[in-house]
């Protein structure tokens, strides 16, 4: 396979084995791209749904696990309802059951770093669906505590792979003009999964061994995900990247990528598929996609900038206190006199509905307003809500309506900003040849910081008090605003190749 000349004054070699364009010609050809003057991609709405829907089921299963586990632990601890002889679990053991999938997700994120580029986005999602299936089966039939934990960890590994591969597959296969909306919809699927988990938990909480049914409910869903991903084509961009890195014949990869793109776009693409694929090839040539990536490359140049943006966003997503604020939800609503606050599942459903609505709003406006306005506006609201909560727990204890308003403001603003936009940005900001590894690090940062906040919350709150803890979270939210304003770029309407060429 022809490779690019190392001499910048020599003509670049095309992917079809002949030197047909000089460096200047390629630079001139790319000028419209750098100015953002590209034609909109033609696509069929019906054809755009499956490449989003089946990967997004991975997010639904993640959310479902969060929701179902809240009811499953109640069932598991009950002498009358657990249906086991080992129901008398300690607080530590319950904590292990709850966090088992989180540990598995951390393992899955680490695995994704080494296997993602080899498997590709589609096969990684198929592997994820198998882990979901096996994990759910093992958990549902677990004869003892140890097997239950093993099942939870296996299921969590599926979460780690799914949350890594799903945004990549959606980003690389979606038309640029609706990419933000589709990736944000994946967050909607996570919230929908949580709501489904809370609902199933409340319906099956009174059934003997109901926790088994709660976990088993995800089995048919994981099968649907696996079958759907088996039917979908690979990512055309991944196919082309493999070919120009010497892992296949470039011409064959080009023809396969054209066929895949036609399936992804439907009849509306007409005869423009070859032209779009050739544009991808030219962009990969310009950004030196033919180089094999190494671990060191991730912390250099464009990828270091992308890693700073992506990992920074998902870090602030967690350390602005999202798990902690939701921890206080039942207490806040109960203090305000909400009768439903005594029922954890009903409170969760109420907040789940609010999260669903606000995520829906974000989905509708993300490709119109852009990423930065939603982040700046939403995180500003998060900061205000955190300082209001700090005030309530410090000197406004007789005004619980302030805490309720702050809670609802926090949940709503989070779902407008960090919730969907964090996952959207990490899926589109990394250079293609390092996207798999870079995104795996970002996902690892997300789950690791989630674990840190979750497990450090109780001792820190005991040490400094709830009011001061929310002040700390509020200050971190202000730092997040500074980070977003000065570091995070706007990617609205740009193709993935334009983001790499123009922003990084």
């Amino acid at each position: 396979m022809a490779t690019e000349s190392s001499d910048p004054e020599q003509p670049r070699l095309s992917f079809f084995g002949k030197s047909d364009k000089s460096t200047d010609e390629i630079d001139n050809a790319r000028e419209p791209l750098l100015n953002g003057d590209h034609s909109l991609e033609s696509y069929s709405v019906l054809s755009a749904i499956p490449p989003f829907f089946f990967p997004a089921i991975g997010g639904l299963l993640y959310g479902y696990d969060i929701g179902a586990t809240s009811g499953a632990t109640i069932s598991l601890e009950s002498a009358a309802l657990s249906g086991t002889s080992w129901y008398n679990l300690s607080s530590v053991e319950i904590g292990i059951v709850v966090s088992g999938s989180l540990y598995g997700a951390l393992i899955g994120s680490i695995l994704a770093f080494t296997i993602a580029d080899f498997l590709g986005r589609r096969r990684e999602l198929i592997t994820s669906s198998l882990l979901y299936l096996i994990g759910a089966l093992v958990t549902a039939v677990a004869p003892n505590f140890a097997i239950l934990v093993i099942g939870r960890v296996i299921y969590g590994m599926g979460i780690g792979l799914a949350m890594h591969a799903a945004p990549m597959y959606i980003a690389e296969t979606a038309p640029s003009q609706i990419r933000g909306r589709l990736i944000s919809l994946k967050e909607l699927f996570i919230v929908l999964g949580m709501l489904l988990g809370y609902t199933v938990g409340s319906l099956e909480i009174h059934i003997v061994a109901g926790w088994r049914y709660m976990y088993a409910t995800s089995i048919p869903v994981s099968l649907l995900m696996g079958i759907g991903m088996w039917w979908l084509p690979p990512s055309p961009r991944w196919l082309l990247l493999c070919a120009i890195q010497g892992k296949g014949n470039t011409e064959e990869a080009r023809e396969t990528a054209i066929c895949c793109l036609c399936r992804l776009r439907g009849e509306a693409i007409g005869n423009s598929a070859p032209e779009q694929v050739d544009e991808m090839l030219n962009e990969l040539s310009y950004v030196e996609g033919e180089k094999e990536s190494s671990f060191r490359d991730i912390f250099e140049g464009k990828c270091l900038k992308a890693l700073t943006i992506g990992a920074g966003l998902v870090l602030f997503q967690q350390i602005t206190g999202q798990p902690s604020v939701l921890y206080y939800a039942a207490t806040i609503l109960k203090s305000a006199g909400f009768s439903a606050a005594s029922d954890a599942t009903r409170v969760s459903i109420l907040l789940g509905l609010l999260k669903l609505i606000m995520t829906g709003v974000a989905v509708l406006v993300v490709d119109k307003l852009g990423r930065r306005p939603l982040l700046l506006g939403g995180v500003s609201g998060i900061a205000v809500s955190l300082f209001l909560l700090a005030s309530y727990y410090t000197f406004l204890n007789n005004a619980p309506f302030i805490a309720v308003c702050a809670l609802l403001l926090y949940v709503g603003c989070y779902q407008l900003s960090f919730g969907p936009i964090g996952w959207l940005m990490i899926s589109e900001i990394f250079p293609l040849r390092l996207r798999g590894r870079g995104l795996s690090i970002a996902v690892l940062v997300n789950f690791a910081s989630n674990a840190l906040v979750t497990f450090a919350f109780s001792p820190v709150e005991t040490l400094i008090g709830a009011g001061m803890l929310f002040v700390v979270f509020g200050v971190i939210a202000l730092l997040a605003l500074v980070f977003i304003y000065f570091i995070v770029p706007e990617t609205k309407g740009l193709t993935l190749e334009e983001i790499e060429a123009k922003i990084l």
Side-chain angles (χ1 to χ4, degrees), residues 160-494:
L161 292 182
M163 298 308 290
H164 172 261
M168 275 201 301
Y169 186 88
I170 296 171
E172 292 183 7
T173 59
S176 58
Q177 57 265 45
I178 60 169
R179 186 180 65 244
R181 186 171 301 171
L182 291 179
I183 299 175
S184 300
L185 268 174
K186 184 189 70 66
E187 173 70 17
L188 188 74
F189 267 55
I190 295 175
V191 177
L192 191 61
M194 292 171 60
L195 196 55
L196 179 62
Y198 293 139
T199 304
V200 170
S202 65
L203 292 175
E204 298 180 344
I205 194 68
H206 300 299
I207 301 175
V208 176
W211 60 274
R212 297 186 186 274
Y213 298 104
M214 294 176 201
Y215 286 126
T217 301
S218 58
I219 292 174
V221 185
S222 60
L223 279 172
L224 176 63
M225 176 186 171
I227 293 170
M229 290 310 307
W230 186 270
W231 172 75
L232 284 172
S235 159
R237 286 179 168 91
W238 177 76
L239 289 171
L240 297 174
L241 178 65
C242 289
I244 64 172
Q245 288 180 339
K247 301 173 185 176
N249 181 275
T250 304
E251 182 60 32
E252 290 180 3
R254 176 180 178 274
E255 294 302 320
T256 304
I258 291 171
C259 293
C260 292
L261 194 62
C262 289
R263 285 185 60 188
L264 293 166
R265 297 289 188 271
E267 295 181 358
I269 196 171
N271 298 321
S272 64
E275 180 182 346
Q276 290 186 35
V277 169
D278 288 341
E279 184 176 328
M280 293 178 194
L281 282 169
N282 287 333
E283 284 304 311
L284 286 172
S285 173
Y286 186 87
V287 298
E288 299 182 333
E290 68 273 12
K291 288 184 179 179
E292 280 282 7
S293 61
S294 65
F295 182 80
R296 181 179 176 181
D297 291 337
I298 299 169
F299 303 99
E300 295 179 344
K302 292 182 177 182
C303 198
L304 177 60
K305 183 177 179 180
L307 191 61
T308 302
I309 295 167
L313 277 176
V314 295
L315 177 66
F316 280 119
Q317 183 188 66
Q318 297 301 325
I319 64 174
T320 46
Q322 187 229 168
S324 306
V325 173
L326 295 181
Y327 176 88
Y328 270 96
T331 303
I332 291 171
L333 291 174
K334 187 175 181 179
S335 68
F338 283 74
S339 59
S342 60
D343 186 338
T345 57
R346 293 179 187 175
V347 172
S348 299
I349 290 173
L350 173 66
L351 291 176
L353 285 171
L354 176 62
K355 288 166 72 72
L356 192 67
I357 292 169
M358 298 309 295
T359 307
V361 173
V363 168
L364 292 175
V365 302
V366 66
D367 281 322
K368 296 178 181 178
L369 294 181
R371 285 66 161 150
R372 278 174 54 85
L374 287 177
L375 282 171
L376 291 170
V379 177
S380 297
I382 287 174
V384 171
S385 67
L386 288 168
F387 286 120
L388 283 175
L389 284 171
S391 300
Y392 171 72
Y393 281 100
T394 304
F395 51 81
L396 294 176
N397 305 82
N398 59 344
F401 71 92
I402 291 179
V404 173
C405 291
L407 172 66
L408 298 179
L409 178 64
Y410 183 96
V411 172
C413 288
Y414 179 86
Q415 293 307 135
L416 274 176
S417 55
F418 275 143
I421 307 302
W423 290 106
L424 168 57
M425 291 294 292
I426 65 172
S427 67
E428 60 186 10
I429 199 69
F430 287 99
L432 178 58
R433 70 186 181 92
L434 292 162
R435 186 170 296 142
R437 292 186 173 185
L439 205 144
S440 68
I441 292 177
V443 172
L444 182 63
V445 169
N446 177 272
F447 284 117
S449 55
N450 187 328
L452 176 65
V453 173
T454 300
F455 294 120
F457 167 75
S458 183
V460 173
E461 189 235 346
T462 302
L463 181 65
I464 65 176
M468 186 54 65
L469 180 60
F470 284 120
V471 169
V472 172
F473 285 143
V475 171
I476 294 174
L478 293 178
L479 293 175
L481 272 176
V482 174
F483 174 81
I484 293 165
Y485 185 82
F486 288 103
I487 303 297
V488 178
E490 180 58 72
T491 58
K492 178 185 72 171
L494 300 177

Side-chain angles (χ1 to χ4, degrees), residues 100-122:
S101 60
L102 183 60
Y103 292 129
L106 288 170
I107 296 171
S109 301
I110 295 170
L111 285 176
F113 184 87
T114 56
I115 68 172
D117 288 333
F118 167 72
L119 288 179
R121 293 57 164 134
R122 171 177 165 269

